[in-house]
Amino acid sequence: MVENGNRILSNIVSSQAELHARFGGVVPEIASRQHLLLINTLIDEALTTAKLKLNDLQAIAVSHGPGLVGALLIGVATAKALAYARRLPLVAVNHLQAHLYANYLGGAPQLYPAVILIVSGGHTELLLINSLGDASSLGSTRDDAAGEVFDKVARVMDLGYPGGPIIDQLASGGNRTAIDFPRAWLDDHCRYEFSFSGLKTAVINHLYHAGRRTETFNVADIAASFQEALAEVLVEKTVRAARDHQAKMVLLAGGVAANSRLRELFEETLANSLPGTALHFPPLALCTDNAAMIAAAAYPLYLKGNFAALNLNAHPGLGIGL
Ligand code: KG4
Ligand code: ZN
């Protein structure tokens, strides 16, 4: 529950990580069934924490994409039912745009032009924002998303799920220069595009060859070296975009924005190469998926009267559409 688009009254997150851990990734069918089981309890808990009743609400916001269709449908159907029963406006929110609003909820100033890097389990997108509501895509990943690579590397290393936080933690005790994993800079005409499948394969090959030679390998060194290769490319390309477009601010969003080395490297690199450019990342709780960012993103749409009809559908492949 969010008031005036910027004050969080409650932000209840029910993580399914444990449920999916033994599969090494999200199982869509389990995810939607679990959504169905928990959604009403979660809404009750959000109301209780915010000390509100359903009657106090002025609008219902819901993410209609992108994402897993089953889970999206549960959210959309629930939101439509609530909006209809309570005669409330329904606001449809793009999940990716909502990650951007996590920054404003977290107190980011509105400085433009800004460059934002959205890095999650499903996306790696670099955007130029000229003002709120006026943004264009600079580049994205050609293969795996950054979070997906963290999760897959963790899976081949038998570390658990989700891989990002585990590798982040493990890497803090490792040597990030131990293994020189490849960085895909791509040609100059793809200067804002990313590719991580080569890095993922390099880590898998490294483990395979070390296994064949029955070498004992240092897991922390592999985690740190992999994380460094991935973070360097993300930082370098984002800073490059900020320089090219004279950005006043760099923003980070999405689950991978919680990564401690990525944050540190952004701080160091910006301070050295673009000292006048502000840097903002959401607090950890707002980096990964959460309801508050959906409500915050809905607020400007609500003010404009941009409401969804009750035939709203889920759009699993929805683009950034800013
Ligand atoms: O934004 P998010 O919660 O969900 C999606 O929309 O995908 O992002 C989840 C992703 C997962 O791949 C997870 O491994 C990654 O964010 N992640 C991290 C960290 N915390 C979460 N990756 C690297 N370091 C972290 N500390
Ligand atoms: Zn997300």
Side-chain angles (χ1 to χ4, degrees):
M1 310 277 158
V2 171
E3 188 176 51
N4 295 336
N6 58 18
R7 199 164 91 83
I8 300 177
L9 303 178
S10 63
N11 187 22
I12 313 290
V13 175
S14 164
S15 169
Q16 296 191 12
E18 252 175 55
L19 212 60
H20 299 278
R22 69 192 174 100
F23 304 103
V26 174
V27 183
E29 189 57 30
I30 297 180
S32 32
R33 281 168 194 267
Q34 195 65 8
H35 258 60
L36 189 59
L37 280 178
L38 291 178
I39 198 158
N40 288 330
T41 320
L42 228 78
I43 292 171
D44 282 348
E45 204 179 324
L47 285 166
T48 314
T49 310
K51 299 189 176 59
L52 294 175
K53 298 260 179 283
L54 270 181
N55 274 343
D56 299 318
L57 301 184
Q58 272 153 11
I60 307 285
V62 66
S63 165
H64 63 135
L68 294 173
V69 69
L72 289 170
L73 279 171
I74 310 289
V76 167
T78 309
K80 287 199 289 195
L82 273 176
Y84 178 70
R86 295 282 153 176
R87 308 266 182 275
L88 289 172
L90 177 69
V91 186
V93 171
N94 179 312
H95 179 92
L96 283 176
Q97 289 182 25
H99 273 298
L100 162 66
Y101 281 83
N103 276 285
Y104 300 121
L105 258 186
Q110 304 233 357
L111 279 176
Y112 303 110
V115 164
I116 181 165
L117 174 71
I118 304 179
V119 264
S120 70
H123 291 90
T124 302
E125 306 267 348
L126 199 52
L127 303 168
L128 176 68
I129 305 179
N130 291 313
S131 65
L132 209 53
D134 171 13
S136 51
S137 172
L138 293 171
S140 58
T141 180
R142 301 187 146 208
D143 38 57
D144 291 1
E148 192 181 352
V149 187
F150 267 106
D151 295 340
K152 286 180 177 167
V153 164
R155 188 160 67 196
V156 293
M157 290 171 78
D158 269 337
L159 295 176
Y161 173 85
I166 303 170
I167 290 182
D168 191 350
Q169 175 80 35
L170 198 60
S172 62
N175 172 5
R176 47 183 184 251
T177 60
I179 306 139
D180 189 18
F181 285 128
R183 278 90 166 136
W185 302 115
L186 304 177
D187 292 346
D188 202 45
H189 65 276
C190 312
R191 57 196 277 110
Y192 308 129
E193 308 255 306
F194 303 91
S195 168
F196 297 119
S197 62
L199 171 60
K200 181 185 67 184
T201 309
V203 178
I204 294 170
N205 283 344
H206 182 85
L207 291 165
Y208 175 73
H209 290 305
R212 278 180 55 131
R213 290 193 297 264
T214 60
E215 279 172 17
T216 47
F217 42 81
N218 185 323
V219 194
D221 284 354
I222 298 176
S225 303
F226 152 72
Q227 181 178 264
E228 193 66 11
L230 193 139
E232 261 185 31
V233 176
L234 290 175
V235 171
E236 174 63 31
K237 295 212 166 203
T238 309
V239 171
R240 183 186 282 178
R243 187 184 299 113
D244 292 352
H245 295 91
Q246 281 123 39
K248 295 204 173 74
M249 186 164 66
V250 168
L251 300 161
L252 286 187
V256 182
N259 186 267
S260 56
R261 179 59 187 151
L262 184 67
R263 289 172 170 229
E264 186 181 63
L265 203 58
F266 259 112
E267 271 163 358
E268 284 171 16
T269 314
L270 271 181
N272 288 333
S273 352
L274 292 175
T277 311
L279 173 66
H280 196 276
F281 17 71
L284 289 184
L286 296 178
C287 282
T288 41
D289 289 351
N290 64 89
M293 70 181 194
I294 305 291
Y299 189 64
L301 299 172
Y302 167 79
L303 289 180
K304 278 192 244 163
N306 196 343
F307 304 139
L310 286 177
N311 63 357
L312 177 71
N313 206 347
H315 291 281
L318 197 67
I320 183 80
L322 277 161

